[in-house]
Amino acid sequence: YANPNPGAFVLDFFVNRTQTITFRITDIVGRRYTEEKYKADAGNHPKHFDLRPQRFKQGTYLLEIYYEGGKRD
């Protein structure tokens, strides 16, 4: 579901073991705008995102999160 915000936000996440997390930003038709791989050690992590209009056109974007062994939307 939609989570309107001004475009800059922080996602706090937890991993139970060291692994590579992939963050992907797409639009609602599936066009990929950015993808970033993040090596996370076990524990809590903040991940900053900046989708403000200076960098992205106004619209609806999806954050996909891939971890070793699966995917979270």
Side-chain angles (χ1 to χ4, degrees):
Y1 60 92
N3 186 9
N5 69 59
F9 63 95
V10 177
L11 172 71
D12 291 310
F13 67 97
F14 173 83
V15 293
N16 59 4
R17 62 180 173 81
T18 299
Q19 60 183 299
T20 300
I21 309 293
T22 301
F23 298 98
R24 183 181 295 163
I25 304 290
T26 64
D27 65 14
I28 58 173
V29 295
R31 286 183 291 234
R32 189 180 303 175
Y33 284 84
T34 184
E35 180 173 298
E36 182 180 342
K37 295 190 183 297
Y38 179 86
K39 178 144 178 145
D41 292 326
N44 292 308
H45 299 269
K47 176 67 177 121
H48 298 264
F49 293 90
D50 186 358
L51 306 179
R52 290 179 290 187
Q54 299 90 329
R55 299 188 62 217
F56 285 78
K57 290 169 60 176
Q58 212 170 26
T60 301
Y61 294 92
L62 305 173
L63 170 60
E64 298 176 344
I65 304 168
Y66 296 85
Y67 60 96
E68 293 175 11
K71 172 186 171 187
R72 296 297 250 208
D73 287 323

